[in-house]
Amino acid sequence: MEVDLNTGPFEEVETEALAVLSFEGAPDAAVDAATAGWLKELYDSGEFSGKARETALLYRPAGLRAKRLLVVGGGKAEEFTPAEMRKASAIAARTLQSKKVPRIAFAPGEGHAAADFASAAVEGAILGVFEPDRYKTESKKDEKPVEAFSLVGGAELRGAVEQARIVAEAQNFTRELANEPANRLAPADLANRARETAAAYGLECEVLDQDRMRQLGMGALLGVAQGSAQPPALIVLGYTPEQSFTADHLALVGKGVTFDTGGISIKPADGMEKMKYDMCGGAAVLGAMRAIAQLKPAVRVTALIPAVENMPGAKAQRPGDIVTTLAGKTVEVLNTDAEGRLILIDAITYAIQLGCTHLLDAATLTGSVVVALGHHRVGAFSNNDEFLAKVLASAGRQGEKMWRMPMDAEYKEQLKSPFADLANIGTRWGGSIVAAWFLREFVADKPWVHLDIAGTAYLDDAKPWMAKGPTGVTVRTFVDLATNWA
Ligand code: BES
Ligand code: MN
Ligand code: ZN
């Protein structure tokens, strides 16, 4: 989709469809004046009241150059945030796409002309029109995707519009990757996508293969991989700024399980197809790196994506197996379905060996976090209040809702094993916290934040502002964190 800035005024914008906001209580005065009272009449009719998610479409609006006018409800004006703007713009773009309108514009209005609102509007449109329909051949023939989106606003917004485009396109790239089924995206394919991304945007890329992992001693990662016919890959991408004002070196670590059957501790069949999404953390890291390469922040960033398929093959690891991790600690694998933490700890240790000073990981790690927080918030776990505050500030600016989870030392006791240094699971209770403690045992006291995205990485049903399937959550937080590092 083409994206540009149109400096207006909105009455003069020539487009197939112009979307505007109008809030609860009173029709937007500027739109009402331009349309000679049409909007007020609409409110008076009771058919539209400005509530969030409401829409009304007018064909050939008198007083406007646009061919159609779409009014989108903004809800209560005083509660309207950039996050609400992102949704409103997405709803506008999705509504018009469903009506096969290919070129659209959005005028957020005088009251919401600041850069954060403009960025959110652009992101919303790009994210809103995304459909995970790549492998549909029949229904696709009569679809008409939105080709062009213009934001109506002042010339000072040009930079914000461009940055928002880069970030939202990176997020859609993540969603596209995450949606690939396991027969079309094995660990080696993910590695190839990382190599292509690195070549296209100018990042360093190294992929560690199974032999290299054996030499280094990544027993936890290799243990998970051994049940699959697909070889594992540890994908490492590097971004180094031309000028840096800090010795900080951020690691972004993303779980890249291209399919999680559970291994020998096999999962039930019902819903297992969703485990193609078990590489959403890795895809988010890769998407974020694509945007970081273009936005060039002043901090060094290394991405690490341990990519494996968790299968119950003849060579699979068994419950009770004891593996030796890259860090040297031993782990008793009591449940082969707790594989995410096993691959992450070797990647985290490797990040530390590479000199990373701050560790941030995203992983579809536990069903337990979905029980705790549902599908609305990412679970955030940390050993460092200052670093966590930074991550949560980025998430807040980007409308990616998170919630800090406790990490009292009592939870860690569940991980005791009589036979090895640690067990890879505890009891059913507080499972997301126990999983976080397992990771924390390998962060060597570096500032670390773990984001459990099992409940937020994909939607089981479409929302008015987003298609069913992967959401691309944490991409915007990662990019915001890197670009606002200082
Ligand atoms: N990939 C799953 C977690 C998951 C569950 C992601 C639901 C998305 C939706 C993870 O590898 C897993 O299987 N975790 C187990 C851990 C348990 C065996 C301790 C779980 O949460 O059940
Ligand atoms: Mn699992
Ligand atoms: Zn998993």
Side-chain angles (χ1 to χ4, degrees):
M1 187 172 82
E2 272 170 53
V3 175
D4 69 3
L5 184 71
N6 187 314
T7 50
F10 74 91
E11 296 92 326
E12 308 282 313
V13 175
E14 279 182 54
T15 172
E16 296 271 328
L18 176 71
V20 296
L21 292 170
S22 193
F23 293 89
E24 258 178 72
D28 183 86
V31 175
D32 192 53
T35 57
W38 170 76
L39 190 56
K40 171 146 193 324
E41 261 191 72
L42 179 66
Y43 272 66
D44 290 345
S45 76
E47 283 170 46
F48 183 92
S49 63
K51 284 206 179 71
R53 334 256 181 269
E54 273 181 353
T55 58
L57 184 66
L58 177 63
Y59 200 76
R60 287 278 177 216
L64 299 183
R65 286 264 178 86
K67 204 167 173 185
R68 299 173 188 79
L69 177 65
L70 180 75
V71 191
V72 182
K76 295 203 171 67
E78 64 280 9
E79 289 172 12
F80 195 71
T81 57
E84 286 299 310
M85 175 71 96
R86 199 175 284 105
K87 285 182 182 165
S89 172
I91 288 168
R94 282 179 76 72
T95 304
L96 292 167
Q97 180 160 268
S98 74
K99 297 194 185 299
K100 304 189 172 132
V101 182
R103 307 184 75 82
I104 67 175
F106 181 62
E110 297 277 302
H112 305 103
D116 51 353
F117 281 111
S119 302
V122 170
E123 289 162 6
I126 294 171
L127 299 171
V129 300
F130 175 90
E131 284 297 332
D133 58 359
R134 179 158 187 197
Y135 297 110
K136 279 185 165 289
T137 61
E138 286 301 320
S139 65
K140 236 182 165 165
K141 287 172 192 152
D142 47 46
E143 271 172 21
K144 212 169 192 187
V146 174
E147 293 159 9
F149 174 85
S150 300
L151 182 80
V152 182
E156 74 284 356
L157 297 174
R158 217 167 283 284
V161 168
E162 178 60 5
Q163 175 153 347
R165 183 189 63 76
I166 289 169
V167 175
E169 283 178 356
Q171 189 172 340
N172 279 352
F173 167 74
T174 289
R175 294 166 76 194
E176 186 83 55
L177 260 185
N179 199 48
E180 289 287 357
N183 66 328
R184 292 175 187 269
L185 192 92
D189 303 305
L190 191 57
N192 284 336
R193 302 299 295 267
R195 287 190 187 98
E196 285 164 22
T197 304
Y201 297 97
L203 294 164
E204 281 164 56
C205 180
E206 197 195 347
V207 179
L208 280 61
D209 64 9
Q210 202 158 359
D211 290 340
R212 185 80 188 113
M213 291 178 206
R214 277 201 198 103
Q215 281 170 4
L216 292 167
M218 297 181 169
L221 207 174
L222 287 166
V224 175
Q226 76 192 32
S228 171
Q230 301 291 344
L234 176 58
I235 302 163
V236 184
L237 289 167
Y239 164 77
T240 309
E242 268 168 33
Q243 281 184 316
S244 187
F245 309 97
T246 164
D248 293 346
H249 182 176
L250 175 65
L252 298 177
V253 184
K255 174 175 173 181
V257 176
T258 59
F259 197 82
D260 182 11
T261 64
I264 295 298
S265 314
I266 199 162
K267 288 180 181 294
D270 201 31
M272 203 205 272
E273 72 283 355
K274 288 178 193 155
M275 285 301 121
K276 72 173 181 176
Y277 297 134
D278 214 19
M279 32 63 76
C280 280
V285 165
L286 186 50
M289 288 305 277
R290 170 174 140 153
I292 285 168
Q294 294 170 83
L295 298 173
K296 306 196 186 307
V299 63
R300 191 163 168 205
V301 187
T302 296
L304 300 103
I305 306 167
V308 298
E309 187 181 57
N310 189 23
M311 295 286 279
K315 295 183 184 163
Q317 67 180 345
R318 295 128 299 227
D321 282 5
I322 295 175
V323 295
T324 302
T325 63
L326 179 59
K329 287 187 199 175
T330 55
V331 174
E332 184 187 11
V333 180
L334 289 176
N335 190 316
T336 64
D337 198 10
E339 84 297 341
R341 59 196 79 180
L342 292 169
I343 66 171
L344 287 168
I345 54 169
D346 278 348
I348 285 170
T349 303
Y350 194 61
I352 295 167
Q353 290 182 358
L354 293 178
C356 295
T357 60
H358 292 69
L359 308 167
L360 175 56
D361 76 76
T364 46
L365 202 64
T366 66
S368 169
V369 84
V370 195
V371 175
L373 298 174
H375 299 292
H376 305 294
R377 283 186 187 258
V378 173
F381 305 77
S382 182
N383 62 352
N384 185 293
D385 292 354
E386 202 187 323
F387 186 36
L388 178 72
K390 265 185 160 179
V391 174
L392 293 182
S394 289
R397 280 195 291 272
Q398 296 301 326
E400 295 190 318
K401 290 197 203 174
M402 301 191 179
W403 193 257
R404 184 180 198 170
M405 298 287 286
M407 287 203 75
D408 307 81
E410 289 93 320
Y411 291 97
K412 180 171 63 169
E413 284 168 27
Q414 293 186 22
L415 292 171
K416 283 190 178 142
S417 160
F419 310 118
D421 297 332
L422 284 168
N424 78 328
I425 58 162
T427 68
R428 288 182 58 201
W429 314 117
S432 68
I433 305 169
V434 176
W437 260 114
F438 186 84
L439 302 181
R440 185 167 168 173
E441 291 290 320
F442 294 85
V443 303
D445 290 329
K446 303 264 180 262
W448 158 79
V449 173
H450 156 59
L451 302 175
D452 194 334
I453 59 171
T456 46
Y458 54 89
L459 297 174
D460 288 329
D461 294 295
K463 300 277 186 195
W465 58 89
M466 192 173 266
K468 177 182 169 129
T471 60
V473 75
T474 76
V475 169
R476 294 203 307 275
T477 296
F478 287 171
V479 176
D480 186 288
L481 182 73
T483 53
N484 293 293
W485 189 261

